């Protein structure tokens, strides 16, 4: 196999209360990366057909950084050309960097027939997150690698649990961050009473996923004391938009990943209404974001073409 095209899904990291621990894979948008082994002994990123604003310097690119780490670990100096064919909106909290890093690691694993295990690939891909100004967190990369709903069981060493997810319709109001990362806003400590609530909500998310109870899932993902309070401050009218969504048919709503997109989950028969409410809610703030309708997905990184 000389070249391979890998598809990897966007993800909602944290998925409400699970800061750095939970992620949910989405049916779309997704990224597609074409990868080719070359004789150059270096990593090259070709952005000719790429509409998103991505760096082509491998040291500043999520795929490039993950691949550099991977080649070092396996002690290889093979050259790799990476070409993003389809991208996810960058800087919107939809896991574009995680999908990019996971797809590239998955692709090189195939090209070199390394047979690395998924935890090992997730560990390497998480290094790619550093390029987006973040730390090497594993929630997005795990969701993009494995699909479904993931729980990062351990960071040292990385160990991830994956579960199949029920079909959950999701509406997303896509908003990009103006800042490179919102990571520094996260509080360093938390009051014990809030910790207890957070634990309850995390447990409820897992129970709802396992029992397929989308209504319970909605309640569980709507409360978070770690990311939502700080990230939502950069979203104009967030509290009003959230109330409107919950009053207008959404079962649950929160900030997606590092923001600033808002996601809402709902029953299939309410998705159009909820999408309208999302548009109206932002319009009240004088904002006209792209609103998409998607759903949860059990599909992780996969080969979609090769030669
Ligand atoms: N868990 C990460 C965070 C996801 O909240 O910062 C963002 O990429």
């Amino acid at each position: 196999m000389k070249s391979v095209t890998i598809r990897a899904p966007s993800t909602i990291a944290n998925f409400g209360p699970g800061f750095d621990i939970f992620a949910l894979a989405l049916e779309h948008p997704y990224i597609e990366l074409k990868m080719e082994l070359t004789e150059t002994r270096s990593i090259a990123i070709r952005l000719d057909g790429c509409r998103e604003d991505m760096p082509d310097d491998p040291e500043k690119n999520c795929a490039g950084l993950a691949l550099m780490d991977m080649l070092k670990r396996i002690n290889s100096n093979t050259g790799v050309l990476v070409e993003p064919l389809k991208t996810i909106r960058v800087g919107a909290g939809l896991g574009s960097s995680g999908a990019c890093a996971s797809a590239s690691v998955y692709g090189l694993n195939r090209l070199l027939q390394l047979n690395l295990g998924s935890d090992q690939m997730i560990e390497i891909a998480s290094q790619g997150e550093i390029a987006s100004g973040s730390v090497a967190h594993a929630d997005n990369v795990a969701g993009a690698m494995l699909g479904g709903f993931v729980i990062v069981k351990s960071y040292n060493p990385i160990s991830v649990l994956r579960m199949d997810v029920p079909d959950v319709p999701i509406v997303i109001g896509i908003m990009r961050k103006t800042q490179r990362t919102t990571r520094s806003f996260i509080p360093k400590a938390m009051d014990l009473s809030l910790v207890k609530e957070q634990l309850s909500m995390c447990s409820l998310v897992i129970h709802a996923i396992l029992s397929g109870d989308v209504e319970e899932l909605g309640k569980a993902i709507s409360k978070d004391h770690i990311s939502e309070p700080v990230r939502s401050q950069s979203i104009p009218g967030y509290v009003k938009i959230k109330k409107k969504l919950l009053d207008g048919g959404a079962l649950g709503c929160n900030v997606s990943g590092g923001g600033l997109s808002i996601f809402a989950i709902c029953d299939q028969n309410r998705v159009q209404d909820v999408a309208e409410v999302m548009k109206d809610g932002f319009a009240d703030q004088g904002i006209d974001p792209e609103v998409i309708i998607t759903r949860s997905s059990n599909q992780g990184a996969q080969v979609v073409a090769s030669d």
Side-chain angles (χ1 to χ4, degrees), residues 13-14 19-21 129 134 137 139-140 183 186 227 231 257-258:
N14 306 335
F19 179 72
D20 274 2
I21 305 298
E129 291 283 20
S134 194
H137 59 91
D139 45 0
N140 289 113
R183 192 83 196 175
I186 299 297
S227 170
R231 261 82 180 243

Side-chain angles (χ1 to χ4, degrees), residues 186-265:
I186 299 297
K188 298 273 181 286
M190 219 165 123
D191 192 83
L192 189 57
S193 60
L194 299 183
V195 172
K196 287 199 264 185
E197 254 188 12
Q198 195 85 13
L199 288 171
S200 296
M201 291 305 129
C202 286
S203 311
L204 211 55
V205 170
I206 297 166
H207 182 261
I209 296 270
L210 289 174
S211 59
D213 186 339
V214 182
E215 208 168 309
E216 182 179 62
L217 187 61
K219 289 199 180 83
I221 56 126
S222 292
K223 193 169 263 181
D224 166 44
H225 297 302
I226 300 176
S227 170
E228 184 185 29
V230 288
R231 261 82 180 243
S232 65
Q233 283 177 29
S234 303
I235 305 172
Y238 177 76
V239 174
K240 284 188 192 151
I241 298 172
K242 181 167 180 173
K243 181 167 186 323
K244 236 176 144 133
L245 284 163
L246 295 176
D247 291 346
L251 298 170
C253 162
N254 215 315
V255 178
S256 182
L260 298 180
S261 297
I262 300 179
F263 75 96
I265 72 171

Side-chain angles (χ1 to χ4, degrees), residues 5-225:
T5 301
I6 307 296
R7 182 181 296 171
S10 52
T11 45
I12 296 176
N14 306 335
F15 200 39
F19 179 72
D20 274 2
I21 305 298
F22 291 169
L24 179 82
L26 302 177
E27 189 180 78
H28 68 91
Y30 51 78
I31 188 161
E32 277 183 9
L33 286 189
K34 185 172 181 196
M35 298 174 67
E36 213 176 301
L37 295 179
T38 64
E39 305 291 326
T40 58
R41 299 184 167 214
S42 61
I43 295 164
I45 315 280
R46 184 188 284 161
L47 295 176
D48 299 352
C50 180
R51 281 191 289 159
E52 286 298 313
D53 185 18
M54 279 185 194
D56 60 2
D57 177 350
E59 292 194 28
K60 296 186 179 142
N61 181 290
C62 301
L65 210 55
L67 290 175
M68 281 165 64
D69 185 79
M70 185 163 178
L71 291 174
K72 206 157 125 195
R73 286 179 198 232
I74 61 168
N75 200 19
S76 165
N77 59 6
T78 186
V80 192
L81 174 64
V82 181
E83 191 180 356
L85 304 178
K86 277 198 172 67
T87 49
I88 298 165
R89 186 69 61 83
V90 169
L94 297 176
S96 69
S97 51
C100 223
S102 284
S104 60
V105 171
Y106 187 89
L108 190 59
N109 183 53
R110 282 299 185 94
L111 285 170
L112 296 178
Q113 297 181 353
L114 298 171
N115 289 321
L116 298 182
S118 57
D119 282 347
Q120 231 178 328
M121 289 198 286
I122 289 165
E123 166 115 48
I124 297 168
S126 71
Q127 297 303 313
E129 291 283 20
I130 295 169
S132 63
S134 194
V135 296
H137 59 91
D139 45 0
N140 289 113
V141 292
M145 192 73 82
L146 302 176
F149 172 70
V150 292
I151 303 175
V152 183
K153 283 193 297 184
S154 149
Y155 263 89
N156 190 17
I158 292 272
S159 175
V160 174
L161 186 70
R162 177 201 178 279
M163 293 172 191
D164 266 346
V165 273
D167 183 27
V168 184
I170 300 173
V171 174
I172 305 178
I174 301 181
M175 285 262 293
R176 293 182 63 165
K177 298 186 264 288
T178 48
Q179 56 279 73
R180 187 155 168 249
T181 170
T182 49
R183 192 83 196 175
S184 56
F185 302 162
I186 299 297
K188 298 273 181 286
M190 219 165 123
D191 192 83
L192 189 57
S193 60
L194 299 183
V195 172
K196 287 199 264 185
E197 254 188 12
Q198 195 85 13
L199 288 171
S200 296
M201 291 305 129
C202 286
S203 311
L204 211 55
V205 170
I206 297 166
H207 182 261
I209 296 270
L210 289 174
S211 59
D213 186 339
V214 182
E215 208 168 309
E216 182 179 62
L217 187 61
K219 289 199 180 83
I221 56 126
S222 292
K223 193 169 263 181
D224 166 44
H225 297 302

